[in-house]
Amino acid sequence: MMQITAVQGDITQQHVDAVVNAASNAMRGGGGVDGAIHGAGGPAILEDCVARFPDGLATGDAGWTTAGALPAQWVIHVVGPNRTAGQTDRGLLLSCYRRAFEVADELGARTVAFPLVSAGIYGWPKDDAIACALEVLRSARTSVEEARLVAFDAATYERIEELLRQVS
Ligand code: AR6
């Protein structure tokens, strides 16, 4: 039975097998979690993105690279729907989490840290972003033993804890 945990902090500092990146289709870096991961992990991540994903990644999909200098071993990049740009398909957001578990299982990752995909620059409403994450985490059929939701700020962390405690 997979354990779902929540922490407040910086996703780049998580001691887990794999951290999930909220990437863009191009997979060439950006702001938010993406900027933090490339910044802390160093240039090896971008080099691996270019080598392994010359055409980038489709929205809703996931793919892995090295984690460079991060404590984690792998980065699992996902591309959430950009609501600010009019992408409102919730299925694409659920798909990010589902695909991330598939990739984690391919890698043999047992502990995986997730950010709230699409909830920042891509403008997905926070509560529904949390609901999407929990929906997939609660129903995941995977060999992952711990899925850790990482909130950057205290208010988001409290809200995750609140929704986690609610029986679904
Ligand atoms: N650790 C944990 N959570 C964080 C961190 C961090 N270091 N930094 C931000 N968050 P975002 P998106 C939270 O914008 O909405 C990039 O330019 C943040 O508060 O990182 O999917 C990419 O290249 C929010 O709750 O991802 C894409 O173009 C959540 O993580 C685009 O942004 C996700 O915010 C992706 O935007």
Side-chain angles (χ1 to χ4, degrees):
M1 182 69 176
M2 189 185 75
Q3 204 188 349
I4 303 172
T5 57
V7 299
Q8 186 193 346
D10 182 346
I11 194 154
T12 67
Q13 301 309 307
Q14 304 301 310
H15 289 254
V16 287
D17 295 335
V19 293
V20 173
N21 181 23
S24 67
N25 293 117
M27 290 181 86
R28 297 297 180 265
V33 169
D34 201 11
I37 284 178
H38 281 278
I45 299 177
L46 183 57
E47 282 164 24
D48 216 13
C49 283
V50 170
R52 304 195 63 246
F53 301 93
D55 302 320
L57 202 58
T59 306
D61 203 0
W64 65 271
T65 66
T66 176
L70 297 180
Q73 203 173 336
W74 300 286
V75 175
I76 299 174
H77 304 263
V78 303
V79 184
N82 184 350
R83 200 162 163 126
T84 306
Q87 297 181 322
T88 56
D89 183 356
R90 205 171 180 268
L92 290 172
L93 188 47
L94 297 172
S95 171
C96 287
Y97 292 95
R98 290 203 189 99
R99 285 285 303 129
F101 278 114
E102 288 175 7
V103 172
D105 283 336
E106 282 169 28
L107 292 166
R110 292 288 184 264
T111 52
V112 181
F114 293 84
L116 276 183
V117 179
S118 289
I121 292 162
Y122 281 177
W124 207 275
K126 192 68 66 75
D127 263 28
D128 196 51
I130 298 170
C132 284
L134 293 183
E135 189 174 324
V136 180
L137 265 52
R138 283 179 161 139
S139 60
R141 296 165 65 95
T142 172
S143 302
V144 171
E145 290 162 6
E146 183 198 351
R148 188 181 301 175
L149 263 182
V150 182
F152 209 32
D153 58 279
T156 304
Y157 168 74
E158 296 301 337
R159 192 66 184 131
I160 291 172
E161 280 290 338
E162 210 174 311
L163 294 175
L164 248 181
R165 279 192 294 268
Q166 282 176 13
V167 182
S168 61

